Amino acid sequence: MGDHFLPARGLLFDNDGVLVDSEVSVVRSWTRWAMENDLDPVEVMLAVPGRRAADTVALFLGADAVPAAVAHITRLELEDVGSTTAVPGVLELVPQLDGVPWAVVTSGVRDLAGARLTAAGVPLPEVLVTAEDVTAGKPHPEPYLTGASRLGLPPTDLVVLEDSPSGVAAGLAAGCAVLGIGELALDTAATAVVRDLTGVRWTGTGLLLPAATLLRG
């Protein structure tokens, strides 16, 4: 399998698992929250990836308890933000995007998304779409349609970079090509899948995916 090219005029990045590795913090914070609420941490963690905190919490608690629970889990995650690191290849790819329309589209809340990007040393984009900006979270296409609208580009001109099945589904439903990140994305309909962003390069007309990190082209 050789190098692979995905044409694009702009990029829409998910945050956790794509730009930043926050898994240690996520597991620690949500496990603590689950135990405080007499819930099974394993069951809770299975529900977390790709969902807004409010949508995850709503699976386990009554509607009246959701706002306070979201505020609490956000505090736990903000307190643990220092363990966040950049995903391999990110700190080399993002500087290539000077002048390129790109945005971060995350299920996380704005304060947490910004804190994790900063902790990982990833420059903040001009366009950041967060949980507060949409009424329907992933896998609904609204987050990525919002990102495309704010960049002023049609979804067909954009590549979404995603690691979770719900995020991949959201990007495809929005009409974008989707680059899956990590082995979990192999079980999705992502357009192509890479191990991480090591060696991935912006050519001016799209993303060049090196064979060394390509899992599926």
Side-chain angles (χ1 to χ4, degrees), residues 188-211:
T188 72
T191 314
V193 181
V194 291
R195 183 167 285 104
D196 55 37
L197 294 176
T198 301
V200 173
R201 188 163 58 85
W202 178 259
T203 67
T205 57
L207 288 174
L208 185 64
L209 315 175

Side-chain angles (χ1 to χ4, degrees), residues 60-75:
F60 299 97
L61 301 182
D64 291 347
V66 169
V70 170
H72 181 49
I73 188 64
T74 299
R75 281 196 302 273

